[in-house]
Every structure is written in C-alpha cells, then in structure tokens.
Amino acid sequence: MNTLQTSTPARLCYLHLASKDPQRQIDFYQRMMDMQGQPQADGHWLLRGPNRAMLLSPAEHSGLLAAAYDLACPEKLAMLYRRLRERNCTTEDISSPLLAPGAFAIRDPQGRQTIFGVSQAHTHATPPGMPGRLQHVVFQTTELEAIIEFYVNTVGFTVSDSVVDQQSGLLMVCFLRSDDEHHSLAFFRGSKNEWDHHCYETNEWNDIRDWGDRFAKERISIFFGPGRHGPGDNLFFMVVDADRNRLEFSAELQITEASDPPGTWPQEEHTLNSWGRAWIRT
C-alpha cells in the first residue's frame, strides 16, 4: 500500500488556532516565538516565524481548529487527493494565505480537520528568530483504534511506535509518521477528545537550553521535562501559551526508514521520559 512517507511525503507546516483572547495570544507568539503578526481582511491573524506559522481566529472558545501539512509540490498533492477520493474520503476545498491554490481538507471520524496543500513559505522572507520548526501535533481520543485505522488505512500515515498497557494489552499511545521523521502526528487514549500539544523541533540540545532560558526570563515554568522520550528518542520539554495550550520543544527526533517495523513500548513513566517523571494521560 502506498503511504504518505513512500509516495506523498507530508510535513506539518502550520496550525489554525481559535482564541477567546486573540490579542494575548498574538503577544505571546510574537514575544516568545519570534512570530510576526499580520491582521487579515477577514478578521483572522497570520503569524509567521522561522519554519513555523499559525492562523489565529477570534472565537468563543480556545483550541486547535486544524493542522495543515505541506506536500511540497502540486503533483504530490494531486496524487494524494486522488488516493483519498479512491478510498471514499470526503474532501473540502480550502483557501489559505499560507498555501497555494488547490489545498483541501479532510475530517476524521471524530471531526478533527486536517489540511493538505503546498506551502507558500518560499514566497516570503524568512523572519529572524530562534530555531524551532513546527514538527508534530498530538491529540487525546476516546476511540483510539478507530482513529488509527482512519489515519493509517485511509490517509496513509505509518505507525512508528505503539505504547501498550502490559496488563490489559490495550493500545494506549500511537505515533504516526508522514515522512522520514519518527512522527508528525500522535494519539493518546484518554477520557476526552481534545488537542494535547504541538511541538517545535530545534537543531540541537543547546537550542533546548536557549529556549528554556527564554521562558525562564518571562517566568514561564516548564511543566514536563526536560527529558528524553522513548518513542522517537528525542530530547524535550513542555510549557503552555497564553491560552494554556501546550507547546513542546524537541531535539534529535529519530529518523525512521520506510522499511522499519513498528516498535512496541510498555505503558510506564520510563517510556514517556527515560530521565525521570512523566505526564501520564488519563
């Protein structure tokens, strides 16, 4: 079966967020994430930084509205579109200031929206700032098996690693890749259906230090980490933004070959943080 990784590699390129207090969020991402804000005619805000971008919409709730993936060229995007239609996946045309014409969106069985398109980042000057490429997005779900079935067998993601409860044998976490990086999407089994966090991949461990120092100067405390994940083998820490959305900073994420078999890990603290205590979702 053709997968995203083998035939239509896709890389996370921006998030579309809703906010009850958009100005506070804009201030946070401009100040802390080196993202330059531009108001749009429709009332939304466009935020750009070095290898990271965001659309922000005023709303009566805060959270993630959509995650957008870049297919790099129109030919790959068209190939993915045809494959999704052949698999009876409903698509919706999308217009985005961050994507070239031809972008489209799909929704998973629980209503999460994923956008696929060709990024127009190359048409704009790269803003200066600290390194941190938008790299992955993670959710909690009450229907883990059905969601993984959709993203693997309909969309074409590949399972990189699974975390399993050793007593029950129940799948607890699944890490999915869309190119050669270990994961660009992941799902935790939880009691809610909600956005869990998003992640920025830095260049090296010293970047993790520098991001930590930046948040420390603003009295924004790390709530998870620093540490090293088992699945993905990456260094990390987590903080929250102005709306209490969780941000992860990562380095040295594992590169995974298309032929590599999925790994299986036990559900325990050492799996989620081999350096110490972990945040276990419930």
PDB file of all heavy atoms in Angstrom, residues 160-198:
ATOM      1  N   SER A 160       4.858   4.298  13.656  1.00  0.00           N
ATOM      2  CA  SER A 160       6.268   4.198  14.033  1.00  0.00           C
ATOM      3  C   SER A 160       6.437   3.433  15.332  1.00  0.00           C
ATOM      4  O   SER A 160       7.304   2.565  15.441  1.00  0.00           O
ATOM      5  CB  SER A 160       6.882   5.599  14.176  1.00  0.00           C
ATOM      6  OG  SER A 160       6.965   6.247  12.934  1.00  0.00           O
ATOM      7  N   ASP A 161       5.634   3.776  16.342  1.00  0.00           N
ATOM      8  CA  ASP A 161       5.710   3.117  17.646  1.00  0.00           C
ATOM      9  C   ASP A 161       4.334   3.097  18.292  1.00  0.00           C
ATOM     10  O   ASP A 161       3.532   4.015  18.091  1.00  0.00           O
ATOM     11  CB  ASP A 161       6.668   3.860  18.582  1.00  0.00           C
ATOM     12  CG  ASP A 161       8.120   3.473  18.379  1.00  0.00           C
ATOM     13  OD1 ASP A 161       8.406   2.258  18.298  1.00  0.00           O
ATOM     14  OD2 ASP A 161       8.968   4.377  18.295  1.00  0.00           O
ATOM     15  N   SER A 162       4.112   2.056  19.079  1.00  0.00           N
ATOM     16  CA  SER A 162       2.903   1.941  19.888  1.00  0.00           C
ATOM     17  C   SER A 162       3.293   1.762  21.343  1.00  0.00           C
ATOM     18  O   SER A 162       4.333   1.161  21.645  1.00  0.00           O
ATOM     19  CB  SER A 162       2.050   0.739  19.439  1.00  0.00           C
ATOM     20  OG  SER A 162       1.610   0.901  18.107  1.00  0.00           O
ATOM     21  N   VAL A 163       2.457   2.291  22.227  1.00  0.00           N
ATOM     22  CA  VAL A 163       2.640   2.090  23.667  1.00  0.00           C
ATOM     23  C   VAL A 163       1.450   1.272  24.154  1.00  0.00           C
ATOM     24  O   VAL A 163       0.297   1.628  23.891  1.00  0.00           O
ATOM     25  CB  VAL A 163       2.726   3.435  24.414  1.00  0.00           C
ATOM     26  CG1 VAL A 163       2.849   3.212  25.916  1.00  0.00           C
ATOM     27  CG2 VAL A 163       3.897   4.261  23.893  1.00  0.00           C
ATOM     28  N   VAL A 164       1.736   0.165  24.855  1.00  0.00           N
ATOM     29  CA  VAL A 164       0.708  -0.816  25.209  1.00  0.00           C
ATOM     30  C   VAL A 164       0.701  -1.045  26.714  1.00  0.00           C
ATOM     31  O   VAL A 164       1.762  -1.157  27.344  1.00  0.00           O
ATOM     32  CB  VAL A 164       0.964  -2.145  24.470  1.00  0.00           C
ATOM     33  CG1 VAL A 164      -0.041  -3.217  24.900  1.00  0.00           C
ATOM     34  CG2 VAL A 164       0.896  -1.931  22.956  1.00  0.00           C
ATOM     35  N   ASP A 165      -0.486  -1.105  27.303  1.00  0.00           N
ATOM     36  CA  ASP A 165      -0.637  -1.462  28.706  1.00  0.00           C
ATOM     37  C   ASP A 165      -0.296  -2.940  28.871  1.00  0.00           C
ATOM     38  O   ASP A 165      -0.919  -3.802  28.253  1.00  0.00           O
ATOM     39  CB  ASP A 165      -2.067  -1.190  29.175  1.00  0.00           C
ATOM     40  CG  ASP A 165      -2.250  -1.465  30.652  1.00  0.00           C
ATOM     41  OD1 ASP A 165      -2.475  -2.642  31.003  1.00  0.00           O
ATOM     42  OD2 ASP A 165      -2.180  -0.526  31.450  1.00  0.00           O
ATOM     43  N   GLN A 166       0.683  -3.242  29.701  1.00  0.00           N
ATOM     44  CA  GLN A 166       1.176  -4.613  29.792  1.00  0.00           C
ATOM     45  C   GLN A 166       0.190  -5.565  30.446  1.00  0.00           C
ATOM     46  O   GLN A 166       0.184  -6.754  30.154  1.00  0.00           O
ATOM     47  CB  GLN A 166       2.507  -4.637  30.542  1.00  0.00           C
ATOM     48  CG  GLN A 166       3.645  -3.982  29.766  1.00  0.00           C
ATOM     49  CD  GLN A 166       4.957  -4.021  30.516  1.00  0.00           C
ATOM     50  OE1 GLN A 166       5.120  -3.364  31.541  1.00  0.00           O
ATOM     51  NE2 GLN A 166       5.902  -4.788  29.998  1.00  0.00           N
ATOM     52  N   GLN A 167      -0.667  -5.066  31.315  1.00  0.00           N
ATOM     53  CA  GLN A 167      -1.631  -5.938  31.992  1.00  0.00           C
ATOM     54  C   GLN A 167      -2.819  -6.271  31.099  1.00  0.00           C
ATOM     55  O   GLN A 167      -3.232  -7.428  30.993  1.00  0.00           O
ATOM     56  CB  GLN A 167      -2.107  -5.299  33.293  1.00  0.00           C
ATOM     57  CG  GLN A 167      -1.023  -5.230  34.362  1.00  0.00           C
ATOM     58  CD  GLN A 167      -1.571  -4.753  35.695  1.00  0.00           C
ATOM     59  OE1 GLN A 167      -2.578  -4.053  35.754  1.00  0.00           O
ATOM     60  NE2 GLN A 167      -0.899  -5.136  36.769  1.00  0.00           N
ATOM     61  N   SER A 168      -3.373  -5.252  30.435  1.00  0.00           N
ATOM     62  CA  SER A 168      -4.581  -5.464  29.632  1.00  0.00           C
ATOM     63  C   SER A 168      -4.286  -5.747  28.166  1.00  0.00           C
ATOM     64  O   SER A 168      -5.143  -6.250  27.441  1.00  0.00           O
ATOM     65  CB  SER A 168      -5.488  -4.231  29.730  1.00  0.00           C
ATOM     66  OG  SER A 168      -4.863  -3.106  29.120  1.00  0.00           O
ATOM     67  N   GLY A 169      -3.072  -5.386  27.703  1.00  0.00           N
ATOM     68  CA  GLY A 169      -2.760  -5.493  26.286  1.00  0.00           C
ATOM     69  C   GLY A 169      -3.376  -4.386  25.448  1.00  0.00           C
ATOM     70  O   GLY A 169      -3.318  -4.433  24.217  1.00  0.00           O
ATOM     71  N   LEU A 170      -3.950  -3.385  26.098  1.00  0.00           N
ATOM     72  CA  LEU A 170      -4.656  -2.318  25.407  1.00  0.00           C
ATOM     73  C   LEU A 170      -3.667  -1.304  24.826  1.00  0.00           C
ATOM     74  O   LEU A 170      -2.717  -0.889  25.498  1.00  0.00           O
ATOM     75  CB  LEU A 170      -5.600  -1.623  26.382  1.00  0.00           C
ATOM     76  CG  LEU A 170      -6.727  -0.744  25.820  1.00  0.00           C
ATOM     77  CD1 LEU A 170      -7.710  -1.576  25.018  1.00  0.00           C
ATOM     78  CD2 LEU A 170      -7.449  -0.026  26.966  1.00  0.00           C
ATOM     79  N   LEU A 171      -3.905  -0.905  23.572  1.00  0.00           N
ATOM     80  CA  LEU A 171      -3.122   0.158  22.955  1.00  0.00           C
ATOM     81  C   LEU A 171      -3.418   1.466  23.675  1.00  0.00           C
ATOM     82  O   LEU A 171      -4.571   1.849  23.843  1.00  0.00           O
ATOM     83  CB  LEU A 171      -3.491   0.273  21.472  1.00  0.00           C
ATOM     84  CG  LEU A 171      -2.820   1.401  20.684  1.00  0.00           C
ATOM     85  CD1 LEU A 171      -1.321   1.169  20.563  1.00  0.00           C
ATOM     86  CD2 LEU A 171      -3.460   1.533  19.298  1.00  0.00           C
ATOM     87  N   MET A 172      -2.359   2.186  24.086  1.00  0.00           N
ATOM     88  CA  MET A 172      -2.532   3.421  24.838  1.00  0.00           C
ATOM     89  C   MET A 172      -2.074   4.661  24.076  1.00  0.00           C
ATOM     90  O   MET A 172      -2.653   5.738  24.232  1.00  0.00           O
ATOM     91  CB  MET A 172      -1.764   3.335  26.169  1.00  0.00           C
ATOM     92  CG  MET A 172      -2.211   2.190  27.058  1.00  0.00           C
ATOM     93  SD  MET A 172      -3.968   2.239  27.481  1.00  0.00           S
ATOM     94  CE  MET A 172      -4.048   3.709  28.498  1.00  0.00           C
ATOM     95  N   VAL A 173      -1.031   4.523  23.265  1.00  0.00           N
ATOM     96  CA  VAL A 173      -0.492   5.636  22.501  1.00  0.00           C
ATOM     97  C   VAL A 173      -0.034   5.112  21.151  1.00  0.00           C
ATOM     98  O   VAL A 173       0.476   3.988  21.061  1.00  0.00           O
ATOM     99  CB  VAL A 173       0.715   6.311  23.200  1.00  0.00           C
ATOM    100  CG1 VAL A 173       1.080   7.627  22.509  1.00  0.00           C
ATOM    101  CG2 VAL A 173       0.473   6.529  24.675  1.00  0.00           C
ATOM    102  N   CYS A 174      -0.203   5.920  20.100  1.00  0.00           N
ATOM    103  CA  CYS A 174       0.280   5.531  18.782  1.00  0.00           C
ATOM    104  C   CYS A 174       0.937   6.737  18.111  1.00  0.00           C
ATOM    105  O   CYS A 174       0.341   7.809  18.035  1.00  0.00           O
ATOM    106  CB  CYS A 174      -0.855   4.994  17.923  1.00  0.00           C
ATOM    107  SG  CYS A 174      -0.286   4.166  16.420  1.00  0.00           S
ATOM    108  N   PHE A 175       2.168   6.536  17.653  1.00  0.00           N
ATOM    109  CA  PHE A 175       2.949   7.577  16.984  1.00  0.00           C
ATOM    110  C   PHE A 175       2.957   7.295  15.482  1.00  0.00           C
ATOM    111  O   PHE A 175       3.323   6.192  15.050  1.00  0.00           O
ATOM    112  CB  PHE A 175       4.380   7.604  17.523  1.00  0.00           C
ATOM    113  CG  PHE A 175       4.460   7.977  18.980  1.00  0.00           C
ATOM    114  CD1 PHE A 175       4.373   7.007  19.973  1.00  0.00           C
ATOM    115  CD2 PHE A 175       4.621   9.302  19.363  1.00  0.00           C
ATOM    116  CE1 PHE A 175       4.444   7.351  21.311  1.00  0.00           C
ATOM    117  CE2 PHE A 175       4.704   9.662  20.706  1.00  0.00           C
ATOM    118  CZ  PHE A 175       4.608   8.683  21.684  1.00  0.00           C
ATOM    119  N   LEU A 176       2.578   8.303  14.681  1.00  0.00           N
ATOM    120  CA  LEU A 176       2.393   8.139  13.242  1.00  0.00           C
ATOM    121  C   LEU A 176       3.307   9.077  12.471  1.00  0.00           C
ATOM    122  O   LEU A 176       3.454  10.245  12.816  1.00  0.00           O
ATOM    123  CB  LEU A 176       0.941   8.453  12.862  1.00  0.00           C
ATOM    124  CG  LEU A 176      -0.140   7.632  13.569  1.00  0.00           C
ATOM    125  CD1 LEU A 176      -1.518   8.193  13.241  1.00  0.00           C
ATOM    126  CD2 LEU A 176      -0.055   6.171  13.176  1.00  0.00           C
ATOM    127  N   ARG A 177       3.899   8.571  11.391  1.00  0.00           N
ATOM    128  CA  ARG A 177       4.778   9.408  10.570  1.00  0.00           C
ATOM    129  C   ARG A 177       4.175   9.622   9.189  1.00  0.00           C
ATOM    130  O   ARG A 177       3.441   8.779   8.662  1.00  0.00           O
ATOM    131  CB  ARG A 177       6.181   8.799  10.466  1.00  0.00           C
ATOM    132  CG  ARG A 177       6.292   7.480   9.728  1.00  0.00           C
ATOM    133  CD  ARG A 177       7.745   6.987   9.748  1.00  0.00           C
ATOM    134  NE  ARG A 177       7.932   5.746   9.015  1.00  0.00           N
ATOM    135  CZ  ARG A 177       7.803   4.524   9.531  1.00  0.00           C
ATOM    136  NH1 ARG A 177       7.472   4.384  10.810  1.00  0.00           N
ATOM    137  NH2 ARG A 177       8.000   3.454   8.775  1.00  0.00           N
ATOM    138  N   SER A 178       4.547  10.771   8.599  1.00  0.00           N
ATOM    139  CA  SER A 178       4.088  11.132   7.260  1.00  0.00           C
ATOM    140  C   SER A 178       5.262  11.395   6.323  1.00  0.00           C
ATOM    141  O   SER A 178       5.073  11.706   5.155  1.00  0.00           O
ATOM    142  CB  SER A 178       3.187  12.368   7.320  1.00  0.00           C
ATOM    143  OG  SER A 178       3.840  13.435   7.992  1.00  0.00           O
ATOM    144  N   ASP A 179       6.480  11.305   6.858  1.00  0.00           N
ATOM    145  CA  ASP A 179       7.714  11.387   6.069  1.00  0.00           C
ATOM    146  C   ASP A 179       8.756  10.589   6.833  1.00  0.00           C
ATOM    147  O   ASP A 179       8.407   9.630   7.536  1.00  0.00           O
ATOM    148  CB  ASP A 179       8.121  12.838   5.785  1.00  0.00           C
ATOM    149  CG  ASP A 179       8.391  13.666   7.037  1.00  0.00           C
ATOM    150  OD1 ASP A 179       8.406  13.089   8.156  1.00  0.00           O
ATOM    151  OD2 ASP A 179       8.609  14.876   6.914  1.00  0.00           O
ATOM    152  N   ASP A 180      10.036  10.940   6.739  1.00  0.00           N
ATOM    153  CA  ASP A 180      11.067  10.128   7.385  1.00  0.00           C
ATOM    154  C   ASP A 180      11.242  10.423   8.872  1.00  0.00           C
ATOM    155  O   ASP A 180      11.975   9.701   9.556  1.00  0.00           O
ATOM    156  CB  ASP A 180      12.413  10.321   6.676  1.00  0.00           C
ATOM    157  CG  ASP A 180      12.431   9.719   5.280  1.00  0.00           C
ATOM    158  OD1 ASP A 180      11.533   8.898   4.970  1.00  0.00           O
ATOM    159  OD2 ASP A 180      13.328  10.071   4.501  1.00  0.00           O
ATOM    160  N   GLU A 181      10.621  11.465   9.383  1.00  0.00           N
ATOM    161  CA  GLU A 181      10.722  11.746  10.816  1.00  0.00           C
ATOM    162  C   GLU A 181       9.775  10.839  11.602  1.00  0.00           C
ATOM    163  O   GLU A 181       8.677  10.510  11.140  1.00  0.00           O
ATOM    164  CB  GLU A 181      10.419  13.214  11.083  1.00  0.00           C
ATOM    165  CG  GLU A 181      11.499  14.127  10.527  1.00  0.00           C
ATOM    166  CD  GLU A 181      11.307  15.581  10.893  1.00  0.00           C
ATOM    167  OE1 GLU A 181      10.158  16.048  10.885  1.00  0.00           O
ATOM    168  OE2 GLU A 181      12.312  16.241  11.184  1.00  0.00           O
ATOM    169  N   HIS A 182      10.203  10.457  12.791  1.00  0.00           N
ATOM    170  CA  HIS A 182       9.521   9.426  13.579  1.00  0.00           C
ATOM    171  C   HIS A 182       8.024   9.649  13.707  1.00  0.00           C
ATOM    172  O   HIS A 182       7.241   8.699  13.603  1.00  0.00           O
ATOM    173  CB  HIS A 182      10.148   9.347  14.970  1.00  0.00           C
ATOM    174  CG  HIS A 182       9.541   8.309  15.857  1.00  0.00           C
ATOM    175  ND1 HIS A 182       8.460   8.573  16.686  1.00  0.00           N
ATOM    176  CD2 HIS A 182       9.841   7.004  16.041  1.00  0.00           C
ATOM    177  CE1 HIS A 182       8.135   7.480  17.353  1.00  0.00           C
ATOM    178  NE2 HIS A 182       8.956   6.514  16.982  1.00  0.00           N
ATOM    179  N   HIS A 183       7.591  10.864  13.959  1.00  0.00           N
ATOM    180  CA  HIS A 183       6.151  11.134  13.980  1.00  0.00           C
ATOM    181  C   HIS A 183       5.885  12.607  13.705  1.00  0.00           C
ATOM    182  O   HIS A 183       6.654  13.475  14.087  1.00  0.00           O
ATOM    183  CB  HIS A 183       5.490  10.715  15.299  1.00  0.00           C
ATOM    184  CG  HIS A 183       5.997  11.410  16.525  1.00  0.00           C
ATOM    185  ND1 HIS A 183       7.183  11.076  17.140  1.00  0.00           N
ATOM    186  CD2 HIS A 183       5.473  12.424  17.259  1.00  0.00           C
ATOM    187  CE1 HIS A 183       7.362  11.843  18.206  1.00  0.00           C
ATOM    188  NE2 HIS A 183       6.353  12.685  18.297  1.00  0.00           N
ATOM    189  N   SER A 184       4.793  12.845  12.992  1.00  0.00           N
ATOM    190  CA  SER A 184       4.260  14.198  12.823  1.00  0.00           C
ATOM    191  C   SER A 184       2.858  14.285  13.416  1.00  0.00           C
ATOM    192  O   SER A 184       2.253  15.359  13.417  1.00  0.00           O
ATOM    193  CB  SER A 184       4.229  14.589  11.342  1.00  0.00           C
ATOM    194  OG  SER A 184       3.365  13.737  10.619  1.00  0.00           O
ATOM    195  N   LEU A 185       2.366  13.147  13.917  1.00  0.00           N
ATOM    196  CA  LEU A 185       1.017  13.048  14.480  1.00  0.00           C
ATOM    197  C   LEU A 185       1.032  11.920  15.500  1.00  0.00           C
ATOM    198  O   LEU A 185       1.696  10.894  15.294  1.00  0.00           O
ATOM    199  CB  LEU A 185       0.014  12.741  13.367  1.00  0.00           C
ATOM    200  CG  LEU A 185      -1.456  12.551  13.736  1.00  0.00           C
ATOM    201  CD1 LEU A 185      -2.062  13.846  14.288  1.00  0.00           C
ATOM    202  CD2 LEU A 185      -2.247  12.089  12.511  1.00  0.00           C
ATOM    203  N   ALA A 186       0.327  12.101  16.601  1.00  0.00           N
ATOM    204  CA  ALA A 186       0.223  11.037  17.593  1.00  0.00           C
ATOM    205  C   ALA A 186      -1.103  11.154  18.335  1.00  0.00           C
ATOM    206  O   ALA A 186      -1.693  12.240  18.412  1.00  0.00           O
ATOM    207  CB  ALA A 186       1.396  11.081  18.577  1.00  0.00           C
ATOM    208  N   PHE A 187      -1.540  10.006  18.884  1.00  0.00           N
ATOM    209  CA  PHE A 187      -2.792   9.955  19.644  1.00  0.00           C
ATOM    210  C   PHE A 187      -2.581   9.178  20.935  1.00  0.00           C
ATOM    211  O   PHE A 187      -1.948   8.117  20.933  1.00  0.00           O
ATOM    212  CB  PHE A 187      -3.897   9.276  18.819  1.00  0.00           C
ATOM    213  CG  PHE A 187      -4.388  10.104  17.672  1.00  0.00           C
ATOM    214  CD1 PHE A 187      -3.801   9.985  16.421  1.00  0.00           C
ATOM    215  CD2 PHE A 187      -5.421  11.012  17.844  1.00  0.00           C
ATOM    216  CE1 PHE A 187      -4.238  10.750  15.352  1.00  0.00           C
ATOM    217  CE2 PHE A 187      -5.859  11.783  16.782  1.00  0.00           C
ATOM    218  CZ  PHE A 187      -5.271  11.655  15.532  1.00  0.00           C
ATOM    219  N   PHE A 188      -3.131   9.728  22.026  1.00  0.00           N
ATOM    220  CA  PHE A 188      -3.168   9.074  23.317  1.00  0.00           C
ATOM    221  C   PHE A 188      -4.597   8.613  23.602  1.00  0.00           C
ATOM    222  O   PHE A 188      -5.551   9.330  23.285  1.00  0.00           O
ATOM    223  CB  PHE A 188      -2.751  10.043  24.434  1.00  0.00           C
ATOM    224  CG  PHE A 188      -1.290  10.356  24.475  1.00  0.00           C
ATOM    225  CD1 PHE A 188      -0.718  11.247  23.581  1.00  0.00           C
ATOM    226  CD2 PHE A 188      -0.472   9.769  25.434  1.00  0.00           C
ATOM    227  CE1 PHE A 188       0.628  11.545  23.625  1.00  0.00           C
ATOM    228  CE2 PHE A 188       0.882  10.062  25.489  1.00  0.00           C
ATOM    229  CZ  PHE A 188       1.435  10.949  24.584  1.00  0.00           C
ATOM    230  N   ARG A 189      -4.745   7.439  24.205  1.00  0.00           N
ATOM    231  CA  ARG A 189      -6.065   7.052  24.701  1.00  0.00           C
ATOM    232  C   ARG A 189      -6.361   7.895  25.934  1.00  0.00           C
ATOM    233  O   ARG A 189      -5.537   7.998  26.857  1.00  0.00           O
ATOM    234  CB  ARG A 189      -6.087   5.570  25.078  1.00  0.00           C
ATOM    235  CG  ARG A 189      -7.474   5.075  25.506  1.00  0.00           C
ATOM    236  CD  ARG A 189      -7.444   3.627  25.959  1.00  0.00           C
ATOM    237  NE  ARG A 189      -6.989   2.758  24.888  1.00  0.00           N
ATOM    238  CZ  ARG A 189      -7.767   2.299  23.901  1.00  0.00           C
ATOM    239  NH1 ARG A 189      -9.047   2.643  23.865  1.00  0.00           N
ATOM    240  NH2 ARG A 189      -7.269   1.502  22.974  1.00  0.00           N
ATOM    241  N   GLY A 190      -7.525   8.539  25.954  1.00  0.00           N
ATOM    242  CA  GLY A 190      -7.870   9.391  27.078  1.00  0.00           C
ATOM    243  C   GLY A 190      -9.356   9.389  27.361  1.00  0.00           C
ATOM    244  O   GLY A 190     -10.146   8.740  26.659  1.00  0.00           O
ATOM    245  N   SER A 191      -9.756  10.132  28.370  1.00  0.00           N
ATOM    246  CA  SER A 191     -11.164  10.242  28.739  1.00  0.00           C
ATOM    247  C   SER A 191     -11.852  11.380  28.003  1.00  0.00           C
ATOM    248  O   SER A 191     -13.052  11.585  28.161  1.00  0.00           O
ATOM    249  CB  SER A 191     -11.285  10.458  30.251  1.00  0.00           C
ATOM    250  OG  SER A 191     -10.560  11.615  30.646  1.00  0.00           O
ATOM    251  N   LYS A 192     -11.083  12.145  27.212  1.00  0.00           N
ATOM    252  CA  LYS A 192     -11.621  13.276  26.464  1.00  0.00           C
ATOM    253  C   LYS A 192     -11.151  13.210  25.019  1.00  0.00           C
ATOM    254  O   LYS A 192     -10.187  12.522  24.695  1.00  0.00           O
ATOM    255  CB  LYS A 192     -11.154  14.602  27.084  1.00  0.00           C
ATOM    256  CG  LYS A 192     -11.559  14.813  28.530  1.00  0.00           C
ATOM    257  CD  LYS A 192     -10.983  16.114  29.054  1.00  0.00           C
ATOM    258  CE  LYS A 192     -11.325  16.338  30.514  1.00  0.00           C
ATOM    259  NZ  LYS A 192     -10.720  17.588  31.033  1.00  0.00           N
ATOM    260  N   ASN A 193     -11.856  13.944  24.164  1.00  0.00           N
ATOM    261  CA  ASN A 193     -11.414  14.137  22.786  1.00  0.00           C
ATOM    262  C   ASN A 193     -10.938  15.579  22.676  1.00  0.00           C
ATOM    263  O   ASN A 193     -11.742  16.497  22.558  1.00  0.00           O
ATOM    264  CB  ASN A 193     -12.558  13.852  21.806  1.00  0.00           C
ATOM    265  CG  ASN A 193     -12.985  12.406  21.865  1.00  0.00           C
ATOM    266  OD1 ASN A 193     -12.175  11.502  21.688  1.00  0.00           O
ATOM    267  ND2 ASN A 193     -14.273  12.178  22.142  1.00  0.00           N
ATOM    268  N   GLU A 194      -9.628  15.759  22.765  1.00  0.00           N
ATOM    269  CA  GLU A 194      -9.099  17.115  22.799  1.00  0.00           C
ATOM    270  C   GLU A 194      -7.686  17.160  22.247  1.00  0.00           C
ATOM    271  O   GLU A 194      -6.977  16.162  22.169  1.00  0.00           O
ATOM    272  CB  GLU A 194      -9.128  17.668  24.223  1.00  0.00           C
ATOM    273  CG  GLU A 194      -8.224  16.936  25.195  1.00  0.00           C
ATOM    274  CD  GLU A 194      -8.275  17.527  26.602  1.00  0.00           C
ATOM    275  OE1 GLU A 194      -9.250  18.236  26.910  1.00  0.00           O
ATOM    276  OE2 GLU A 194      -7.340  17.281  27.377  1.00  0.00           O
ATOM    277  N   TRP A 195      -7.290  18.364  21.871  1.00  0.00           N
ATOM    278  CA  TRP A 195      -5.923  18.636  21.453  1.00  0.00           C
ATOM    279  C   TRP A 195      -5.015  18.488  22.666  1.00  0.00           C
ATOM    280  O   TRP A 195      -5.294  19.010  23.743  1.00  0.00           O
ATOM    281  CB  TRP A 195      -5.882  20.049  20.904  1.00  0.00           C
ATOM    282  CG  TRP A 195      -4.568  20.516  20.377  1.00  0.00           C
ATOM    283  CD1 TRP A 195      -3.575  19.772  19.823  1.00  0.00           C
ATOM    284  CD2 TRP A 195      -4.119  21.877  20.357  1.00  0.00           C
ATOM    285  NE1 TRP A 195      -2.530  20.566  19.443  1.00  0.00           N
ATOM    286  CE2 TRP A 195      -2.834  21.878  19.758  1.00  0.00           C
ATOM    287  CE3 TRP A 195      -4.671  23.087  20.758  1.00  0.00           C
ATOM    288  CZ2 TRP A 195      -2.104  23.043  19.571  1.00  0.00           C
ATOM    289  CZ3 TRP A 195      -3.953  24.250  20.567  1.00  0.00           C
ATOM    290  CH2 TRP A 195      -2.672  24.222  19.981  1.00  0.00           C
ATOM    291  N   ASP A 196      -3.910  17.766  22.487  1.00  0.00           N
ATOM    292  CA  ASP A 196      -2.996  17.526  23.588  1.00  0.00           C
ATOM    293  C   ASP A 196      -1.837  18.522  23.586  1.00  0.00           C
ATOM    294  O   ASP A 196      -1.611  19.217  24.571  1.00  0.00           O
ATOM    295  CB  ASP A 196      -2.447  16.095  23.502  1.00  0.00           C
ATOM    296  CG  ASP A 196      -1.681  15.671  24.738  1.00  0.00           C
ATOM    297  OD1 ASP A 196      -0.459  15.908  24.796  1.00  0.00           O
ATOM    298  OD2 ASP A 196      -2.310  15.109  25.650  1.00  0.00           O
ATOM    299  N   HIS A 197      -1.085  18.596  22.486  1.00  0.00           N
ATOM    300  CA  HIS A 197       0.016  19.561  22.389  1.00  0.00           C
ATOM    301  C   HIS A 197       0.522  19.650  20.959  1.00  0.00           C
ATOM    302  O   HIS A 197       0.128  18.865  20.093  1.00  0.00           O
ATOM    303  CB  HIS A 197       1.170  19.197  23.333  1.00  0.00           C
ATOM    304  CG  HIS A 197       1.969  17.992  22.933  1.00  0.00           C
ATOM    305  ND1 HIS A 197       1.650  16.711  23.325  1.00  0.00           N
ATOM    306  CD2 HIS A 197       3.102  17.865  22.169  1.00  0.00           C
ATOM    307  CE1 HIS A 197       2.536  15.862  22.837  1.00  0.00           C
ATOM    308  NE2 HIS A 197       3.439  16.533  22.121  1.00  0.00           N
ATOM    309  N   HIS A 198       1.381  20.629  20.706  1.00  0.00           N
ATOM    310  CA  HIS A 198       2.101  20.697  19.438  1.00  0.00           C
ATOM    311  C   HIS A 198       3.570  20.944  19.737  1.00  0.00           C
ATOM    312  O   HIS A 198       3.942  21.383  20.830  1.00  0.00           O
ATOM    313  CB  HIS A 198       1.527  21.776  18.509  1.00  0.00           C
ATOM    314  CG  HIS A 198       1.715  23.190  18.938  1.00  0.00           C
ATOM    315  ND1 HIS A 198       1.056  23.749  20.020  1.00  0.00           N
ATOM    316  CD2 HIS A 198       2.484  24.186  18.424  1.00  0.00           C
ATOM    317  CE1 HIS A 198       1.395  25.016  20.149  1.00  0.00           C
ATOM    318  NE2 HIS A 198       2.278  25.309  19.193  1.00  0.00           N
TER     319      HIS A 198
END
